[in-house]
Amino acid sequence: MAAGNVNPFNVSDSEEEAEQRQDGADTERSPSDEAQGHSLGPFSPPAYSDPAALLSSNRTSPSVDGIPASAAAVSGIGAETRVSLDAIAAQLLRDQYILTALELHTELLEAGRELPRLRDYFSNPGNFERQSGTPPACKEQGVGPGGPLTAQVQDVKRRKKDAHLRDRAGSISTLDSLDFARYSDDGNRESDERVAECEIASQERKNYKSSPETQEPIRPLEKRALNFLVNEYLLKNEYKLTSITFSDENDDQDFELWDDVGLNIPKPPDLLQLYRNCGNSQPLHRDNVDVAVSVDPSDLPGDYFTQEPVQQTDVIQQQQQQEVVQELEYQISLLNSEKQSLAEQIKKLQSDIQALQRNVSSEPTAGVKSTPSKENPKCDKPPLDNGQYLDIRGVTETDSSSDTTKTSTSTTIATDCTENSTTATQPHSKLKANGQQSKSSVQFDQPNRKLSPAFHQALLSFCRMSADSRLGSEVSRIADSEQSVMLMLGRCLPHIVPNVLLAKREELIPLILCTACLHPEPKERDQLLHILFNLIKRPDDEQRQMILTGCVAFAQHVGPTRVEAELLPQCWEQINHKYPERRLLVAEACGALAPYLPKEIRSSLVLSMLQQMLADDKADMVREAVVKSLGVIMGYIDDPDKYSQGFELMLLSLGDPSERVVSATHQVFIPAFAAWCTELGNLQSQLIPSLLTRIEKLLKGEYGLDEHKLHMYLSALQSLIPSLFAVLLQNAPFTSRVKLQGDVPPIEVTRFPRPASPLQDVATIVGSREQLAVLLHLYDHQLQHEGTTGWDSLLWVVNQFLPQIIDIVGRINVTSSTCVHEFSRFFWRLCRTFGKIFTNTKVKPQFQEILRLSEENVDATAGNGILTKATVPIYATGVLTCYNQEEDRKLLVGFLEDVMTTLSLSHAPLDSLKASFVELGANPAYHELLLTVLWYGVVHTSALVRCTAARMFERVLRGMSEALIDKRVAPALITLCSGPEFSVRISTIPAFGTIMETVTQKELLERVKMQLASFLEDPQYQDQHSLHMEIIKTFGRVGPNAEPRFRDEFVLPHLHKLALCNNQQTVESKRIDIATQLFEAYSALSCCFISEELMVNHFLPGLRCLRTDMEQLSPEHEVILSSMIKECEIKVENKAIGEAQGSISIAASLVGEDAKTKFLSKMGQLTTSGAMLANVFQRKK
């Protein structure tokens, strides 16, 4: 392709640059130009002409109208007083003649006399920034106000190139407005489809020629290329019928082959690519540059262009075109002469090569070193891949205006700049030096013929080989070194990846990584890493693991500097990607790369990225990965100032609404953060006290206790217990005596509670299980025999931590089962971790000091004694149950018996005892123990204790086996019912109700039913108001869940009787109490299925009796009862109508006189009119 897309500010036509470009091009300018001392045309200035003279010449630049007086004076000064170029440049910049200065800078660049002042000015983006903000896309592309060159400057340079673009050959200029440069890994490099405003503006400037006033008619090749792209778009987007029709209308074109179009360029991207990237043109990395023969507009005389080319007259345009034609004809003659001289040189060099190959067969070279001359191109700095390939291409150049000799394929000279040697190729291919790979040169048998090289080349041109496309160019060059292989992979991979199946793209990861590691070009490495992170649209778990493994391998290979510069930007770009799998990859990569980043980046940029994702991301799995990566960061951070930020991150993670995020916090983040706090020495001085302070503030809250936050803080404390114990071991007095000995007993399997993760395992924290075994042995010996003197970390736990947490326990609500359970689990884990000796000597004495079992600790009037607080259940369930040996069980039984006796005799609230039984009853292992305690109450001499025992049965029955209930519970309850005290009998009713609700054994149910029937039917209980209240309350509680037969045959009839009896109650207080309990019971039972017979016979009559009471006692309840009665009556009516319709449909299908008789008898029971019945039969027809 022609170099039409090259930035005009980077193009130079000086002799040196032309010579440097000559080696990479297929057929470019001849070195004979330099030999003869010519430039490329008569209009080109001398290579080293004086810029001051250029300024004073007659040339008129579109941007240099207003040269200040000082600059003009300089141009008019003779040889006597000569002003320096730097002074001219300084004056132009000072007077803000930026475009004039740019013209001067360009002229000096072309002449090889660059001024540092102008170079620094135009390479500094800050000189062209406006005060307003610039979109990032503009800065990246350099077209916005913040780019290195302003849009105005670019527009001027573009207009100066318009004449050159219009005169280009048709095959070269075809589709020049389209952007073939950008390729993406999966068809869309951007994360979304937005186009910045500056990109649109840039596209408008690029398409200046395509405006309606200046647009040329479409050319045949352009039409064929667009037809191919349109057909490809239709096929890819499932418009198959339209594609077929389109192909039929263009039957002269083969839409399956791009080569059929006739353009000498690679196949461009699809229409979607061209549309998305229409304003973001970037030049492809090319190895060879095809340069069209043309005249540089900057070298033409000053009056060649005016300020606005669009407004030139036809006469001036015609003159200019004639001048260009003359220039081209002159260059054609030069090229013809050059061609003849080159042919002679080739023939001579071929003979020299053959002679050298015969004489020096062992020398690993394929070329002849020659003395550098003006005919050989001069190479100051060769390209990275120059001379590193075995190039088997036949480089051809065609010109439609030349004859057959001119259109034949010519062989160019490839110059190895590193060795200053020229290598002549065979007529069909050129072979470059391959000394690194082979020890001997490749030789071919030469035919003993006298054909001319031109004839040989023309003959071989009939062998079909394509080196003109991108792929053909790559195929024709064989890399012979590691660097050239990397360069080849860097060029090819962006084209390979989009064509690989998504499910198999992870197979490309090793190839991408190796290329990204070893490629010498930073821009190519960035593109490859971008492909790696965008390789799969939504990578699954296994694919993400592969990518992360590759990232870690890359980091290990390249070091922290390149990881920061190359990998981290890829993570930052995708932090807000629309797919959660991609954001998950970023979160996981931050943790995986943490060990390989500079420490300043770990504690600043990466920490901020993860904190932002934790706060903003909506996907649970992403936040979970963020928390785990934060834990890894905490394991590598060493900046003490980041402690407060880490603490806030811990609280933020614990307060996350997702359970999986909270779980990851306990498993990874808190252990890692605790390890860092241990190194800082503030685990006991800051972290744990901060959590305790927050718990105390919760307990003092004015709006009640926030149980969720209490659970959050307490769970964090629980996760810190292993780290706290490890601190005790590592700071103990015996640490200096630790020696790994073989006679140390191993650690029992049940010594520690099961850790939530390996990071919470004390052995992992300490270092090894053997090290922990030695420390535990010395720890127990120290506690049992030597005491705690001088052991500051343990004394802090005993004297500060335990008293504070026990005080907090005494202030929580004992009726909150959640709080009791949380603190119980905390003390259980604390005691199990610190060991039995510590529990018996340090923990239990502090509880026992507070829980002195005497009536002094029970305030019967206010109920605020210590035995009524949550301290009782937490001590019983959290401390006394952590070890399960016989003496521990006896201690627990004795404590519960004493508490039950003390509370009963003191007439104190039983909430603390109930909480203890509920918490212990949840574990079946303690059912036998609890029944032992209750049997102690059953046989107690005090009726108060027996009443308490009866009420406690209700708390332990749920979850208990039916066999245990049948053998232990039912006999105990019947024993209590046989006592003389009515209060004891009444206390057993809730337990009997719970049995009816939870047991399915028929014999046991019948026994309970008989006992309840005796309470209701025995005359001695008729005036027992409290008994009736308890029974109604129990019926309302267990009725919806009890066996339907028990509910239908026992509960509903007795509730009806109790409601009927309550109508005759003369004591108004008792009547309202019974009515209120009946209302609650009927409200609960109304949700159950009740048969029509029970509804009519018991449920509705009971409700009507209850309504009679409520009309006099509670009118607001009467309204609700009336609506309940109405609903029940409607249900009964609907059932009757449904049964009647069902009877009609059944009767319609009967046959015979007997069936007719039954049908008529059913009809007689209906209340429906004859007209309705007639309509029914009419609809059935």
Side-chain angles (χ1 to χ4, degrees):
M1 289 180 62
N5 290 332
V6 179
N7 190 337
F9 298 101
N10 294 331
V11 174
S12 174
D13 291 325
S14 64
E15 294 178 355
E16 290 184 0
E17 294 186 1
E19 291 170 358
Q20 290 177 359
R21 291 196 301 269
Q22 183 176 4
D23 184 55
D26 291 348
T27 55
E28 298 186 27
R29 298 171 183 170
S30 170
S32 62
D33 285 344
E34 289 76 24
Q36 298 169 8
H38 294 292
S39 63
L40 285 182
F43 304 106
S44 300
Y48 294 98
S49 60
D50 184 24
L54 291 175
L55 282 175
S56 61
S57 67
N58 293 329
R59 295 180 56 188
T60 303
S61 172
S63 306
V64 200
D65 287 342
I67 300 179
S70 60
V74 170
S75 65
I77 293 176
E80 304 153 1
T81 58
R82 182 180 181 86
V83 181
S84 66
L85 293 176
D86 188 69
I88 297 174
Q91 184 65 30
L92 291 175
L93 296 178
R94 188 160 47 246
D95 294 339
Q96 291 298 307
Y97 291 103
I98 305 301
L99 297 181
T100 306
L102 179 62
E103 289 287 343
L104 176 59
H105 180 54
T106 306
E107 298 278 357
L108 293 177
L109 276 178
E110 293 173 353
R113 301 174 62 188
E114 181 181 23
L115 282 179
R117 180 188 299 275
L118 294 178
R119 178 195 62 205
D120 297 341
Y121 183 86
F122 288 108
S123 62
N124 184 9
N127 294 328
F128 305 97
E129 290 181 351
R130 299 176 182 173
Q131 296 300 323
S132 59
T134 303
C138 299
K139 294 181 180 181
E140 293 172 1
Q141 298 160 19
V143 299
L149 297 175
T150 62
Q152 183 182 7
V153 175
Q154 289 188 356
D155 192 53
V156 170
K157 299 301 293 181
R158 179 195 52 72
R159 290 202 301 269
K160 290 181 66 179
K161 289 291 181 180
D162 277 349
H164 167 63
L165 294 174
R166 284 195 294 269
D167 293 332
R168 289 160 56 194
S171 62
I172 298 175
S173 62
T174 304
L175 296 179
D176 62 341
S177 62
L178 300 181
D179 182 11
F180 299 157
R182 297 186 50 163
Y183 290 86
S184 173
D185 56 302
D186 58 356
N188 185 9
R189 175 162 181 153
E190 302 295 329
S191 60
D192 53 19
E193 298 180 359
R194 294 172 295 179
V195 180
E197 295 179 0
C198 59
E199 296 179 3
I200 299 174
S202 173
Q203 181 65 17
E204 290 176 353
R205 291 194 297 273
K206 283 186 176 182
N207 294 338
Y208 172 80
K209 291 198 310 175
S210 302
S211 60
E213 296 81 4
T214 61
Q215 187 173 13
E216 300 177 0
I218 189 170
R219 301 173 182 175
L221 288 177
E222 291 177 335
K223 181 178 179 181
R224 293 175 67 84
L226 290 175
N227 286 348
F228 183 89
L229 294 176
V230 169
N231 183 73
E232 181 185 39
Y233 167 79
L234 294 175
L235 287 176
K236 285 185 177 180
N237 292 274
E238 301 298 329
Y239 298 112
K240 295 183 178 179
L241 295 179
T242 309
S243 173
I244 295 173
T245 305
F246 188 73
S247 301
D248 292 340
E249 293 175 348
N250 298 274
D251 53 358
D252 60 337
Q253 184 173 350
D254 184 0
F255 288 107
E256 295 182 0
L257 296 174
W258 167 254
D259 294 337
D260 184 68
V261 173
L263 288 176
N264 191 20
I265 59 174
K267 176 184 169 301
D270 56 25
L271 285 181
L272 181 60
Q273 282 285 94
L274 298 175
Y275 169 72
R276 287 177 175 170
N277 302 327
C278 59
N280 305 327
S281 179
Q282 297 178 355
L284 273 174
H285 175 74
R286 297 184 180 90
D287 303 302
N288 299 319
V289 179
D290 301 328
V291 181
V293 177
S294 178
V295 61
D296 192 337
S298 62
D299 296 336
L300 295 176
D303 57 352
Y304 187 81
F305 289 112
T306 64
Q307 289 187 1
E308 295 296 332
V310 180
Q311 300 177 0
Q312 290 178 347
T313 62
D314 295 339
V315 176
I316 296 176
Q317 290 181 353
Q318 186 175 4
Q319 292 176 355
Q320 293 173 347
Q321 291 173 359
Q322 290 176 355
E323 293 175 354
V324 172
V325 169
Q326 293 175 0
E327 166 67 13
L328 293 176
E329 290 177 349
Y330 174 74
Q331 292 196 10
I332 288 172
S333 62
L334 289 179
L335 290 174
N336 285 330
S337 60
E338 175 189 354
K339 177 183 174 183
Q340 295 176 0
S341 63
L342 284 176
E344 296 175 357
Q345 293 178 17
I346 291 172
K347 192 171 182 180
K348 179 181 177 182
L349 290 173
Q350 284 178 344
S351 60
D352 293 343
I353 290 172
Q354 293 175 2
L356 287 174
Q357 287 177 346
R358 287 192 296 270
N359 297 334
V360 191
S361 59
S362 61
E363 184 176 349
T365 180
V368 180
K369 288 189 177 181
S370 61
T371 303
S373 64
K374 294 182 67 177
E375 297 179 355
N376 292 331
K378 178 181 177 182
C379 295
D380 296 332
K381 182 179 180 181
L384 288 172
D385 59 348
N386 190 23
Q388 299 294 322
Y389 295 95
L390 295 176
D391 197 341
I392 61 171
R393 292 182 299 168
V395 183
T396 63
E397 187 73 42
T398 60
D399 192 335
S400 59
S401 63
S402 60
D403 53 10
T404 306
T405 306
K406 185 175 179 179
T407 57
S408 63
T409 304
S410 61
T411 305
T412 63
I413 303 176
T415 304
D416 189 342
C417 296
T418 59
E419 297 183 2
N420 290 325
S421 61
T422 57
T423 303
T425 63
Q426 303 214 359
H428 187 230
S429 65
K430 60 179 181 179
L431 180 64
K432 292 194 176 182
N434 191 18
Q436 294 87 349
Q437 298 294 329
S438 61
K439 297 300 181 180
S440 60
S441 60
V442 180
Q443 299 182 12
F444 300 96
D445 294 336
Q446 299 298 325
N448 190 14
R449 301 291 299 278
K450 296 182 180 180
L451 299 177
S452 67
F455 186 86
H456 263 298
Q457 193 66 32
L459 182 63
L460 290 175
S461 66
F462 288 96
C463 299
R464 296 181 58 84
M465 292 185 298
S466 173
D468 300 326
S469 64
R470 178 196 61 81
L471 185 58
S473 173
E474 297 293 347
V475 171
S476 62
R477 294 187 299 178
I478 299 175
D480 64 346
S481 69
E482 293 180 2
Q483 187 180 35
S484 56
V485 171
M486 291 301 107
L487 293 170
M488 180 270 295
L489 290 175
R491 291 189 303 269
C492 294
L493 278 174
H495 304 281
I496 295 173
V497 170
N499 298 301
V500 178
L501 292 175
L502 286 173
K504 296 296 182 182
R505 285 192 180 178
E506 63 267 22
E507 301 291 339
L508 294 172
I509 293 177
L511 203 59
I512 296 173
L513 282 169
C514 289
T515 309
C517 282
L518 303 176
H519 203 285
E521 293 293 334
K523 185 177 179 181
E524 295 296 329
R525 295 200 300 266
D526 179 72
Q527 182 184 10
L528 289 168
L529 291 176
H530 182 82
I531 291 175
L532 176 66
F533 274 81
N534 295 271
L535 192 62
I536 303 167
K537 183 182 291 185
R538 307 184 75 162
D540 57 26
D541 186 59
E542 184 177 355
Q543 291 167 336
R544 287 196 310 274
Q545 289 181 11
M546 289 298 102
I547 295 175
L548 289 177
T549 304
C551 290
V552 170
F554 178 88
Q556 292 173 340
H557 187 272
V558 302
T561 304
R562 279 183 59 182
V563 174
E564 175 190 353
E566 298 177 12
L567 270 184
L568 271 190
Q570 303 299 333
C571 296
W572 182 259
E573 286 179 4
Q574 304 204 19
I575 195 173
N576 293 316
H577 200 278
K578 61 181 179 179
Y579 292 131
E581 292 85 357
R582 300 280 278 276
R583 303 196 302 272
L584 179 59
L585 177 62
V586 172
E588 293 173 340
C590 288
L593 296 175
Y596 311 103
L597 289 169
K599 61 180 181 180
E600 299 83 4
I601 297 299
R602 276 198 296 259
S603 57
S604 57
L605 177 61
V606 179
L607 194 62
S608 300
M609 288 171 57
L610 293 173
Q611 185 174 9
Q612 176 184 339
M613 295 182 73
L614 180 63
D616 299 342
D617 207 291
K618 297 181 180 179
D620 294 350
M621 62 179 181
V622 176
R623 296 198 306 276
E624 179 187 12
V626 167
V627 168
K628 292 180 180 179
S629 293
L630 281 172
V632 177
I633 295 293
M634 289 299 146
Y636 285 89
I637 199 169
D638 55 3
D639 185 3
D641 296 335
K642 297 295 181 180
Y643 165 79
S644 58
Q645 186 177 359
F647 184 77
E648 294 300 325
L649 286 172
M650 182 185 73
L651 297 182
L652 181 63
S653 305
L654 288 171
D656 195 276
S658 173
E659 280 295 328
R660 58 193 298 177
V661 177
V662 176
S663 176
T665 305
H666 288 291
Q667 293 176 3
V668 182
F669 184 84
I670 291 181
F673 186 58
W676 184 39
C677 292
T678 301
E679 295 181 18
L680 296 177
N682 58 11
L683 178 67
Q684 295 175 315
S685 62
Q686 291 187 16
L687 182 55
I688 294 178
S690 298
L691 293 172
L692 292 175
T693 302
R694 280 169 167 75
I695 293 176
E696 289 180 338
K697 287 182 180 179
L698 283 180
L699 297 176
K700 296 176 182 178
E702 299 178 359
Y703 304 102
L705 179 63
D706 188 341
E707 293 187 356
H708 174 70
K709 284 191 175 180
L710 178 65
H711 166 73
M712 184 175 78
Y713 297 144
L714 199 58
S715 63
L717 278 177
Q718 185 171 322
S719 296
L720 290 173
I721 290 175
S723 299
L724 180 61
F725 183 64
V727 170
L728 262 64
L729 294 179
Q730 292 168 348
N731 297 327
F734 52 78
T735 306
S736 58
R737 307 196 307 266
V738 173
K739 293 182 180 179
L740 292 178
Q741 300 174 355
D743 56 350
V744 177
I747 304 173
E748 297 179 4
V749 178
T750 58
R751 169 61 179 84
F752 292 100
R754 178 177 299 175
S757 75
L759 296 177
Q760 290 191 10
D761 190 351
V762 181
T764 303
I765 299 173
V766 170
S768 66
R769 199 161 183 85
E770 294 77 12
Q771 180 83 3
L772 179 60
V774 176
L775 290 172
L776 285 179
H777 179 71
L778 296 174
Y779 168 78
D780 292 339
H781 183 271
Q782 182 82 19
L783 286 178
Q784 198 165 9
H785 299 96
E786 300 182 15
T788 59
T789 305
W791 199 346
D792 295 336
S793 55
L794 185 134
L795 291 175
W796 177 86
V797 174
V798 175
N799 298 329
Q800 297 184 39
F801 178 66
L802 280 177
Q804 188 175 1
I805 197 73
I806 291 174
D807 179 67
I808 291 173
V809 164
R811 285 184 281 162
I812 68 172
N813 185 8
V814 70
T815 59
S816 173
S817 59
T818 303
C819 293
V820 171
H821 178 74
E822 291 294 335
F823 275 97
S824 173
R825 302 313 300 164
F826 172 79
F827 273 99
W828 185 88
R829 186 169 289 272
L830 177 73
C831 294
R832 288 299 301 268
T833 302
F834 279 73
K836 188 172 185 178
I837 297 176
F838 181 87
T839 303
N840 292 334
T841 60
K842 306 299 180 184
V843 180
K844 288 181 180 179
Q846 295 199 32
F847 274 100
Q848 291 168 358
E849 180 67 23
I850 298 173
L851 297 172
R852 289 191 299 270
L853 298 177
S854 64
E855 295 185 5
E856 297 176 359
N857 277 346
V858 180
D859 189 343
T861 56
N864 58 0
I866 191 64
L867 291 182
T868 62
K869 301 293 185 180
T871 311
V872 169
I874 290 172
Y875 175 60
T877 61
V879 178
L880 297 180
T881 60
C882 61
Y883 297 100
N884 202 23
Q885 296 180 0
E886 187 63 29
E887 60 270 16
D888 301 308
R889 297 176 69 87
K890 287 182 179 180
L891 184 61
L892 176 59
V893 170
F895 175 74
L896 292 176
E897 290 174 353
D898 293 341
V899 170
M900 182 171 62
T901 303
T902 306
L903 293 178
S904 302
L905 296 178
S906 304
H907 299 279
L910 302 177
D911 292 331
S912 60
L913 189 64
K914 291 178 181 178
S916 302
F917 273 80
V918 170
E919 186 70 22
L920 291 171
N923 188 351
Y926 292 103
H927 287 170
E928 287 278 0
L929 184 145
L930 293 176
L931 291 178
T932 302
V933 175
L934 291 178
W935 184 253
Y936 166 82
V938 169
V939 299
H940 200 276
T941 55
S942 172
L944 296 174
V945 178
R946 294 202 299 274
C947 284
T948 301
R951 294 191 177 279
M952 291 301 110
F953 273 109
E954 177 192 358
R955 305 291 172 178
V956 300
L957 282 173
R958 299 184 186 278
M960 189 175 288
S961 65
E962 293 190 9
L964 207 56
I965 294 175
D966 187 28
K967 294 179 181 178
R968 300 285 300 275
V969 177
L973 291 175
I974 294 174
T975 301
L976 290 173
C977 290
S978 61
E981 296 86 357
F982 280 104
S983 60
V984 178
R985 299 179 186 179
I986 294 170
S987 300
T988 62
I989 293 175
F992 282 122
T994 304
I995 292 175
M996 297 298 298
E997 186 181 9
T998 58
V999 174
T1000 59
Q1001 188 177 345
K1002 292 184 178 180
E1003 294 80 2
L1004 183 56
L1005 290 176
E1006 287 298 327
R1007 290 161 60 189
V1008 174
K1009 184 178 177 182
M1010 290 174 58
Q1011 186 62 48
L1012 292 175
S1014 67
F1015 287 147
L1016 292 168
E1017 298 170 1
D1018 195 329
Q1020 61 177 334
Y1021 299 116
Q1022 288 182 358
D1023 298 331
Q1024 292 295 325
H1025 175 73
S1026 58
L1027 183 140
H1028 293 160
M1029 287 279 294
E1030 195 67 48
I1031 285 182
I1032 296 172
K1033 183 178 179 180
T1034 301
F1035 281 175
R1037 177 173 60 85
V1038 305
N1041 301 322
E1043 188 184 13
R1045 181 181 174 187
F1046 172 72
R1047 180 176 63 243
D1048 296 342
E1049 296 179 358
F1050 189 80
V1051 174
L1052 290 177
H1054 282 94
L1055 282 178
H1056 180 199
K1057 290 180 182 179
L1058 290 170
L1060 191 61
C1061 294
N1062 198 48
N1063 289 149
Q1064 303 168 4
Q1065 178 62 255
T1066 56
V1067 182
E1068 186 174 346
S1069 61
K1070 294 183 179 180
R1071 187 178 181 187
I1072 188 62
D1073 290 343
I1074 295 293
T1076 303
Q1077 290 297 330
L1078 283 172
F1079 177 80
E1080 297 294 336
Y1082 273 111
S1083 298
L1085 291 169
S1086 64
C1087 301
C1088 303
F1089 172 77
I1090 301 173
S1091 65
E1092 181 184 0
E1093 182 180 358
L1094 285 172
M1095 185 73 74
V1096 173
N1097 296 334
H1098 295 295
F1099 195 78
L1100 275 174
L1103 284 176
R1104 294 188 181 105
C1105 294
L1106 182 58
R1107 183 174 62 178
T1108 302
D1109 290 335
M1110 290 301 182
E1111 287 175 352
Q1112 303 174 8
L1113 303 174
S1114 180
E1116 62 273 13
H1117 287 82
E1118 187 270 336
V1119 175
I1120 300 174
L1121 283 170
S1122 298
S1123 65
M1124 290 174 62
I1125 292 171
K1126 187 175 181 179
E1127 288 178 4
C1128 292
E1129 289 175 347
I1130 291 174
K1131 287 181 182 179
V1132 172
E1133 291 179 2
N1134 290 338
K1135 287 182 180 180
I1137 294 174
E1139 288 182 0
Q1141 291 178 349
S1143 301
I1144 292 172
S1145 62
I1146 293 172
S1149 64
L1150 297 177
V1151 181
E1153 292 296 328
D1154 295 336
K1156 193 178 295 183
T1157 304
K1158 292 180 181 179
F1159 173 65
L1160 293 175
S1161 64
K1162 288 286 184 182
M1163 291 291 292
Q1165 301 174 5
L1166 293 175
T1167 59
T1168 312
S1169 64
M1172 290 183 64
L1173 288 174
N1175 291 335
V1176 169
F1177 286 110
Q1178 206 168 21
R1179 285 195 296 270
K1180 291 291 184 181
K1181 292 180 182 178

